[in-house]
């Protein structure tokens, strides 16, 4: 059984719809979805704010490379264009962690670089998994990061993933 933590974000177009497309596209595998947060852009700051969430997925037949490829396919379906590093995007699906696996492959760095200090990842992750552990860094709740500027959007929600 493979279990992955995916960080999703969007700051162009119908941001909530793009996040929802991930939940819909991975529906058979979704274990949990965090609340939606809004945050200022990171890296290149002169761009619209992001909506962010965490999706936890699980499957018998998908490894870390499979989760990466599924995320990339969802990004492509959302019209993701990679023009500028850390630039604006319709959809970003990052593989944060998969079963504690570590990887230094240039195409798949695990855990995701910088995840240990990014509130856009850690705050929503703690919402759905308070005992989360990030490989090489320990319990997420014990990591030092600033949650300043990370605003929970209770007026927005990702739907349709829980079993009836």
């Amino acid at each position: 059984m493979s279990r992955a933590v995916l960080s999703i974000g969007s700051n162009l177009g119908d941001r909530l719809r793009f996040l929802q497309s991930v939940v819909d596209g991975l529906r058979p595998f979704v274990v949990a979805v965090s609340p939606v947060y809004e945050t200022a852009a990171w890296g290149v700051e002169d761009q619209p704010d992001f909506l962010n969430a965490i999706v936890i997925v699980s499957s018998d037949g998908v490894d870390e490379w499979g989760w990466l490829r599924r995320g990339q396919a969802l990004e492509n379906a959302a019209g993701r264009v990679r023009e500028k590093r850390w630039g604006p995007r319709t959809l970003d699906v990052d593989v944060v962690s998969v079963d504690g696996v570590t990887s230094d492959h240039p195409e798949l760095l695990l855990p995701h670089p910088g995840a240990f200090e990014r509130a856009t990842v850690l705050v929503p992750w703690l919402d759905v998994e308070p005992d989360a552990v990030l490989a090489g860094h320990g319990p997420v709740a014990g990591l030092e990061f600033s949650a300043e500027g990370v605003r929970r959007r209770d007026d927005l929600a990702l739907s349709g993933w829980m079993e009836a």
Side-chain angles (χ1 to χ4, degrees):
M1 181 65 69
S2 166
R3 185 175 178 283
V5 177
L6 308 177
S7 174
I8 60 175
S10 174
N11 75 335
L12 291 178
D14 188 340
R15 301 175 301 165
L16 186 63
R17 183 177 61 83
F18 287 126
L19 297 187
Q20 184 67 52
S21 73
V22 175
V23 175
D24 294 344
L26 297 174
R27 185 176 317 279
F29 313 109
V30 175
V31 173
V33 177
S34 76
V36 175
Y37 284 82
E38 190 164 29
T39 60
W42 184 91
V44 176
E45 296 173 3
D46 184 23
Q47 57 182 309
D49 287 350
F50 276 84
L51 289 183
N52 297 99
I54 287 289
V55 179
I56 298 178
V57 291
S58 182
S59 175
D60 284 332
V62 183
D63 65 4
E64 62 271 21
W65 288 98
W67 293 122
L68 175 66
R69 298 292 180 243
R70 287 170 192 258
Q72 290 170 332
L74 291 164
E75 289 175 343
N76 291 337
R80 166 88 187 253
V81 176
R82 288 170 170 78
E83 293 178 346
K84 183 180 200 178
R85 184 172 188 186
W86 297 318
R89 47 207 173 266
T90 55
L91 182 61
D92 189 30
V93 180
D94 288 332
V95 179
V96 175
S97 175
V98 181
D99 295 325
V101 171
T102 58
S103 170
D104 60 0
H105 190 284
E107 192 178 349
L108 181 60
L109 299 170
L110 287 174
H112 192 278
F116 69 94
E117 61 187 357
R118 290 190 191 154
T120 57
V121 173
L122 302 177
V123 170
W125 190 4
L126 286 170
D127 270 344
V128 294
E129 193 172 45
D131 296 329
V133 174
L134 184 62
H137 298 280
V140 172
L143 297 176
E144 291 187 30
F145 62 93
S146 171
E148 184 178 334
V150 179
R151 302 170 306 278
R152 185 170 167 159
R153 292 289 307 267
D154 289 327
D155 59 321
L156 303 175
L158 299 170
S159 64
W161 62 272
M162 294 171 41
E163 292 184 39

